[in-house]
Amino acid sequence: MSIAENIARIREEMAKAAITAGRNPDDIRLCAATKMNDSQAVRAAIAAGVDACGENRVQELVQKRSENAYEGAPVHFIGYLQTNKVKQVVGQVDLIQSVDSLRLLQAIQTEAVRQGICQDILLEVNIGQEESKSGFSAGEILPLVEQFSSFPNIRLRGLMAIPPISQNSGDNCKFFQKMYNLSVDITAKKSDNVCVDILSIGMSDDFADAIACGSTMVRIGTAIFGQRHYT
Ligand SMILES: *Cc1c(COP(=O)(O)O)cnc(C)c1O
C-alpha cells in the first residue's frame, strides 16, 4: 500500500469512528508521526492531505526542514524535548505537544521572550502513571493551568498523552476517558493565555477508541508509513 492509500483508509476509519460517536469528522485532525521517515515520505504524506507533521527528534526536525520537507503543512514537536534544545524548537514549530515538566515550560517561556513570540503548546500527561514515561500527573494539571498567567509567552492549547502499550483493543479507553475529562475541566478555566481546543490522543492501534472518547487530534506513524526499522 502507498502512503496516499494508507492515509485515505485512515481518514475513512477516522470518519467512521467519529460518526459512530455522533461527532463531526471535520473536528478531528490527523498528525503524521514522521520519525525515522525521510523527507520524501513526509512530502508524500503532506500531498495526501495530513493536517500536520509531528517530529520526535530535534536532529530530524532540523534535517528535514533544511530539505523543505514540511512545505504545505504545520509542523509539531511530539518527542522528548531537552531544555538545552529549546532554542532549536521554539519558534520553529507551530505546536510543541510534549511539554512534560515545569522546567521545560520555564525554558520555553525564556526562549519565547528572547524571540519576542508566543509559543503554542500542549501539556503531556503521564496518564498511565508509568515510571518509564515523562509527563505531568493528571493531578498536577489543574493547579498548573490556574497559574498559567506566569507563562505569558506560552499559549496552552490543550493536552497530549501516550497511554500504556495495550494488549487488547479497548484497553486504553479508560485512559482516553480520563484525558477527555481532564480536558473538559481545563477548558472551563478562563485565563488569558489558555485556549484549549486540542486533545491529542490516539495512535495507529487505538485511534478509533480515542476518537470515541473525544480526541481532536490523532498522531499516526506506522499505519501511514509502515513499520519503522530501528537499527
Ligand atoms: C511514534 C509516535 C506516534 C505514532 O505511533 P504509531 O504507533 O507508529 O502510530 C505517536 N505519538 C508519538 C509521541 C510518537 O512518538
Side-chain angles (χ1 to χ4, degrees), residues 102 105 123 136 140-149 151:
L102 207 50
L105 268 176
L123 295 174
F136 294 94
E140 287 174 305
I141 296 295
L142 261 178
L144 182 58
V145 172
E146 280 166 358
Q147 292 170 36
F148 224 76
S149 53
F151 304 105

Side-chain angles (χ1 to χ4, degrees), residues 161-180:
I162 308 168
I165 294 171
S166 61
Q167 306 304 325
N168 307 298
S169 96
D171 277 359
N172 281 334
C173 290
K174 58 179 182 295
F175 298 118
F176 292 147
Q177 195 61 48
K178 279 188 186 170
M179 287 298 296
Y180 177 74

